[in-house]
Amino acid sequence: MALSARLEMRQGQGLVITPQLQQAIKLLQMSNLELEVFVETELERNPLLQRDERDNETDDGPHDEAPAPAEHAADAEARADLDATHDEASPGERATGDAPEVADVGGAVDWSRAGSGGSFDQSGEGMEGSLTRDKTLTEHLQDQLSASGLSPVEGVVAGVLIDAVDEAGYLRIEVDEVAERLGCAVELVEKVLGVVQGFDPVGVAARDVRECLMIQLKDQNRYDPAIGALLDNLPLLAKRDLAALRKICEVDDEDLREMIAEIRGLTPRPGAAFPGGEAATPVAPDVFVREGPGGLWHVELNSDTLPRLLLDQRYHARVSGQSKTDQEKTFVSDCLAQANWLMKSLDQRARTILKVSSEIVRQQDAFLAYGVQHLRPLNLKTVADAIGMHESTVSRVTSNKYISTPRGLFEMKFFFTSSIASSEGGEAHSAESVRDKIRKLIETEAKEADVHSDDRIVEILKTAGVDIARRTVAKYREAMRIPSSVDRRRMLKEPA
């Protein structure tokens, strides 16, 4: 059989992600701080980009620095070329929904007046850095929160409390303030605070030194009325007024010395063992939510976090006319294309964020109006289907983005909670409401014959329209620290 060379033509389809589309995806999932630094890098690299130093006061009138009509036409022609490239660059990317999508919102976002700043390492911290660096106190507490078995509502309250713990380990927010902010009962906040105070390190989330030391003593099973009286009079201990302390605590000299030695062995700063790192940068919200007349909610982008960029058309016209070699012309052309693409991607990012956040607010309007108890079950697919985007796009948008609401500042992912399907095809039940049903069923058990097994609870809940598995009932019951049906029957037998 003879071997020979020949030419063949084949046609096929494949996924192609151009560098421009990769950049658009990265921009979509950047936080506003990372975006500021990235834009600063582009300003240094691309001579055709410049900051817009105009004040926002010019919004209501015509811009004095508006480019000439010819420049408008040139810019429109460049954008038209980019539109064709953007739509045709990666059909597979658009088919899977992985590329960020432009949202139709009620008006164009004016990127000529958006904010800027800093420098950005596109590689980010990386897996190696995240694995080798020590965790902060907040990260340590959040890890324990995820394994605590708290209900979604209790988890929300715990998250707010953890965010208010300072580097020393003390809680720097009042319980009443948390309850008012989240629209829940003070008793619920106190209950959740007790759980958080049981986290490691012992004594964390205390409101003062006395409570911090008391938590540590209780953990060591060394707390009694005498040492409690000593903790109530720490100012006398600081003054070394031992006589007064002996009288107040009703102990002799030896017992007093032992109690003082125990207190000296405690840690008044439980968070000191964790790295403080650099001073925390205040979080700037990406979106503002304000209540309007008639109970409507107005959603708008935070213009201070949007890059303020302009394409210098006059400088481009000058350098284009002076370019003589092919290398110089290619450089200028590339800079123009990259500048136009960056501004288009930034506009696309803003529209997508606004569209996703508007749908989140629409879904969770009851929480904004009435409090955390009315937080609806919500997942990425629900939002994606409502706005006609892919789940991956919604996931990128909600990563490291924050919404400022009348109830406080929340990360967008805060509004996504688990749910239990309805057996009757109706609206899904939130996990918290199902837990409450299980708790009430068990609380009605007055005698041994009334004890419900997990299987029986599943049957009762399905009758009530809750489609739930037995293992889920067991998981919820154990998370609420409720014994099994066998143990409950034994407990009901004991009094007899």
Side-chain angles (χ1 to χ4, degrees):
M1 181 176 179
L3 298 177
S4 62
R6 60 181 180 179
L7 295 176
E8 290 185 354
M9 294 183 62
R10 294 183 180 179
Q11 184 177 7
Q13 291 183 337
L15 294 178
V16 178
I17 302 180
T18 64
Q20 291 86 353
L21 286 178
Q22 291 180 14
Q23 181 190 74
I25 292 173
K26 287 182 179 179
L27 289 177
L28 190 61
Q29 59 193 15
M30 285 181 186
S31 67
N32 52 47
L33 295 179
E34 293 170 337
L35 184 65
E36 287 178 359
V37 185
F38 173 79
V39 168
E40 177 65 22
T41 303
E42 291 298 311
L43 285 168
E44 295 175 357
R45 191 181 62 84
N46 194 331
L48 299 184
L49 284 174
Q50 64 174 209
R51 293 185 189 278
D52 183 4
E53 303 294 347
R54 293 174 296 186
D55 295 333
N56 290 340
E57 296 175 355
T58 60
D59 293 354
D60 298 331
H63 298 302
D64 295 336
E65 301 180 15
E71 294 171 336
H72 273 303
D75 185 49
E77 181 179 355
R79 288 182 179 272
D81 293 338
L82 284 171
D83 285 344
T85 304
H86 181 271
D87 293 336
E88 299 168 4
S90 178
E93 178 76 357
R94 283 190 171 275
T96 59
D98 290 336
E101 306 178 35
V102 176
D104 288 332
V105 292
V109 178
D110 187 357
W111 279 93
S112 64
R113 298 189 306 276
S116 70
S119 88
F120 175 61
D121 178 9
Q122 295 184 32
S123 62
E125 181 184 35
M127 179 177 291
E128 181 180 353
S130 63
L131 293 177
T132 56
R133 71 172 178 84
D134 295 330
K135 288 186 177 181
T136 63
L137 176 60
T138 300
E139 292 170 341
H140 183 62
L141 294 176
Q142 288 172 343
D143 288 344
Q144 297 175 78
L145 172 61
S146 62
S148 64
L150 292 176
S151 68
V153 171
E154 292 170 343
V156 169
V157 177
V160 173
L161 293 174
I162 288 174
D163 287 341
V165 173
D166 64 13
E167 293 183 358
Y170 286 92
L171 185 69
R172 297 308 182 190
I173 191 171
E174 296 296 331
V175 171
D176 294 344
E177 182 181 345
V178 175
E180 181 180 359
R181 172 180 165 186
L182 297 180
C184 61
V186 176
E187 292 76 14
L188 175 62
V189 181
E190 290 281 2
K191 174 187 173 183
V192 175
L193 177 59
V195 175
V196 175
Q197 289 177 343
F199 290 171
D200 178 72
V202 181
V204 74
R207 286 162 282 193
D208 51 40
V209 175
R210 176 193 170 280
E211 188 176 31
C212 177
L213 300 178
M214 180 184 69
I215 294 171
Q216 296 179 55
L217 288 168
K218 287 183 176 180
D219 181 71
Q220 300 173 8
N221 199 24
R222 298 294 298 168
Y223 185 80
D224 55 36
I227 204 167
L230 179 59
L231 293 179
D232 291 336
N233 294 275
L234 289 177
L236 293 178
L237 180 58
K239 295 178 182 178
R240 304 290 300 173
D241 191 349
L242 302 184
L245 289 174
R246 280 196 302 271
K247 182 178 180 181
I248 293 172
C249 299
E250 299 179 353
V251 296
D252 54 25
D253 290 339
E254 183 179 357
D255 289 339
L256 183 60
R257 284 195 299 271
E258 290 180 357
M259 290 192 300
I260 293 175
E262 287 185 23
I263 290 179
R264 285 177 175 171
L266 303 176
T267 305
R269 291 172 58 87
F274 293 84
E278 300 177 356
T281 303
V283 174
D286 298 87
V287 178
F288 288 113
V289 177
R290 297 184 175 90
E291 186 174 7
L296 299 177
W297 299 98
H298 297 290
V299 183
E300 60 185 38
L301 293 171
N302 181 5
S303 61
D304 292 337
T305 64
L306 303 180
R308 306 178 62 162
L309 298 179
L310 285 175
L311 179 62
D312 195 337
Q313 297 280 5
R314 292 184 177 87
Y315 183 71
H316 171 253
R318 186 172 65 183
V319 297
S320 296
Q322 296 176 355
S323 300
K324 298 180 180 179
T325 66
D326 291 341
Q327 185 177 3
E328 291 174 348
K329 293 178 180 179
T330 301
F331 174 76
V332 174
S333 176
D334 288 345
C335 286
L336 176 63
Q338 291 168 4
N340 276 319
W341 186 274
L342 175 60
M343 297 179 72
K344 182 181 181 68
S345 298
L346 291 174
D347 178 70
Q348 187 179 60
R349 176 184 183 272
R351 292 170 181 269
T352 308
I353 291 175
L354 185 59
K355 189 170 187 178
V356 171
S357 57
S358 298
E359 179 60 23
I360 290 175
V361 170
R362 190 185 72 82
Q363 295 279 353
Q364 299 291 7
D365 59 341
F367 161 75
L368 297 174
Y370 305 111
V372 68
Q373 295 288 352
H374 298 269
L375 196 63
R376 293 182 56 191
L378 185 65
N379 55 35
L380 295 174
K381 187 176 186 303
T382 302
V383 175
D385 291 344
I387 61 179
M389 290 184 179
H390 195 269
E391 288 180 54
S392 62
T393 304
V394 177
S395 178
R396 291 186 179 100
V397 170
T398 55
S399 177
N400 299 317
K401 310 295 189 306
Y402 292 84
I403 298 181
S404 176
T405 73
R407 295 199 175 275
L409 181 66
F410 301 97
E411 188 176 6
M412 285 191 184
K413 289 189 180 295
F414 161 86
F415 296 96
F416 295 92
T417 61
S418 58
S419 63
I420 305 296
S422 171
S423 62
E424 300 174 353
E427 185 176 357
H429 304 271
S430 71
E432 170 58 20
S433 65
V434 174
R435 283 188 179 91
D436 187 61
K437 287 181 173 66
I438 295 173
R439 184 187 300 111
K440 289 180 178 178
L441 280 173
I442 294 175
E443 288 175 352
T444 59
E445 298 172 349
K447 53 186 179 180
E448 183 183 354
D450 296 334
V451 174
H452 301 298
S453 65
D454 291 345
D455 289 323
R456 176 57 182 159
I457 292 176
V458 170
E459 294 174 1
I460 296 174
L461 291 177
K462 284 188 176 180
T463 303
V466 181
D467 187 10
I468 189 170
R470 180 188 176 282
R471 63 179 179 274
T472 307
V473 170
K475 181 180 71 173
Y476 286 176
R477 175 179 53 75
E478 291 170 359
M480 294 184 289
R481 295 178 175 83
I482 297 175
S484 65
S485 58
V486 175
D487 292 335
R488 297 202 304 275
R489 287 192 185 95
R490 186 181 302 113
M491 292 167 61
L492 290 173
K493 276 184 180 179
E494 289 177 358

